[in-house]
Amino acid sequence: MGISYKKLWMLLIERDIKKSTFRQELNLASGTWTKLNKGEEVSLSILLRICGYLNCDIGDICEAVRTGN
């Protein structure tokens, strides 16, 4: 299983929030930002911080996706 942040990127577009503004306001480290952009796992605390900022549920920003077999 993997993770997809496609919902997060779509939500930012819907709310007209620029990625640069989003990253700055959440004070996301460059490594965390890279992981989000590459669809890699980030800590639950980061995901909850994003949810708090966007006032949404965790399922609104990411989803589990099957990989491989």
Side-chain angles (χ1 to χ4, degrees):
M1 294 293 283
I3 190 159
S4 170
Y5 301 108
K6 184 186 272 187
K7 290 182 175 185
L8 169 61
W9 309 130
M10 295 303 294
L11 193 57
L12 292 179
I13 291 169
E14 288 172 13
R15 295 188 182 183
D16 198 27
I17 300 171
K18 293 181 180 177
K19 281 187 171 185
S20 58
T21 302
F22 176 74
R23 180 180 174 203
Q24 288 174 348
E25 291 193 3
L26 282 169
N27 195 28
L28 294 175
S30 61
T32 301
W33 188 245
T34 299
K35 287 182 179 183
L36 286 169
N37 279 303
K38 289 184 174 183
E40 297 176 358
E41 295 175 17
V42 297
S43 70
L44 182 58
S45 62
I46 296 293
L47 296 177
L48 293 175
R49 192 170 6 145
I50 292 170
C51 289
Y53 176 80
L54 295 172
N55 192 28
C56 66
D57 187 49
I58 199 163
D60 296 330
I61 62 168
C62 63
E63 63 184 339
V65 293
R66 293 198 182 277
T67 57
N69 299 334

